Amino acid sequence: MKTSEKLFSAAETLFGFIGVVMILVETYAVLARNVLIVSTPWVDELLKLLFVWIVFVGSALAFQNDELISLTLFEDKAKEKKQMVKYTILKTFQYVIALGVSALIVTQMYTIITTQMTTGEASTVMKYPLWVLNSGIMVGMVLIVIMAVVKLVACIKFLANGNKAETVD
């Protein structure tokens, strides 16, 4: 199993774990509010934290399967006409854009996270360090950067080998 496959397998596990925790926390919040008549302000903060993680890790998983960003109309037309070079160029364009945007976000998140670690900034109710929340964005974007590089290498190999492979996916 390749390193990138192991990384995304771990990301899928994390994604599933976060989803289960979110369901349990929200179930407790409903039970506490409607049955126990107890206020649970920490639930909103915890769910916000988990939501950020699940969105960005989920985005990376969607990108891995080419479900995050796509020029479907053009791609499908190129595939139907068996124009694999055109299809590969479209995918390469998408991967370059994703790599650039994600790398930019990674650099900005690095600055934000290091600042939050230095200042000790914390959330209001639960008092967890805010860098934990922003680390979810960072992890998702780093995964997209890694996968974009892997996909770009595959596209370049496909184009360099004279289009001998079936597809670049």
Side-chain angles (χ1 to χ4, degrees), residues 55-72:
V55 163
F56 286 94
V57 172
S59 294
L61 295 174
F63 182 78
Q64 177 193 16
N65 298 321
D66 280 335
E67 296 169 352
L68 183 62
I69 182 170
S70 186
L71 302 170
T72 308

Side-chain angles (χ1 to χ4, degrees), residues 10-163:
E12 287 175 346
T13 303
L14 178 63
F15 186 76
F17 176 74
I18 292 171
V20 169
V21 170
M22 287 179 77
I23 291 168
L24 293 173
V25 168
E26 189 57 39
T27 302
Y28 169 75
V30 169
L31 177 71
R33 180 177 57 244
N34 295 327
V35 176
L36 304 175
I37 317 297
V38 177
S39 176
T40 53
W42 59 271
V43 167
D44 290 334
E45 269 190 17
L46 181 59
L47 287 175
K48 179 174 66 172
L49 170 72
L50 296 174
F51 187 72
V52 166
W53 273 84
I54 207 165
V55 163
F56 286 94
V57 172
S59 294
L61 295 174
F63 182 78
Q64 177 193 16
N65 298 321
D66 280 335
E67 296 169 352
L68 183 62
I69 182 170
S70 186
L71 302 170
T72 308
L73 181 64
F74 300 115
E75 288 175 14
D76 290 347
K77 193 173 184 180
K79 271 189 171 179
E80 284 175 12
K81 294 182 178 181
K82 304 215 184 292
Q83 299 171 328
M84 295 315 294
V85 173
K86 185 176 180 181
Y87 174 79
T88 304
I89 290 170
L90 285 169
K91 294 310 262 179
T92 302
F93 176 71
Q94 292 172 17
Y95 300 149
V96 166
I97 297 295
L99 176 64
V101 169
S102 298
L104 179 65
I105 293 172
V106 166
T107 60
Q108 295 302 310
M109 291 312 299
Y110 177 77
T111 304
I112 291 168
I113 290 169
T114 54
T115 302
Q116 288 175 334
M117 288 175 129
T118 305
T119 61
E121 211 174 333
S123 67
T124 6
V125 177
M126 291 183 66
K127 303 293 184 207
Y128 63 78
L130 279 181
W131 63 264
V132 172
L133 179 117
N134 290 319
S135 293
I137 300 170
M138 176 76 116
V139 167
M141 293 295 105
V142 166
L143 290 172
I144 289 175
V145 165
I146 292 167
M147 191 46 65
V149 169
V150 169
K151 288 176 176 278
L152 279 170
V153 167
C155 286
I156 291 167
K157 283 181 181 177
F158 177 80
L159 292 171
N161 288 336
N163 318 317

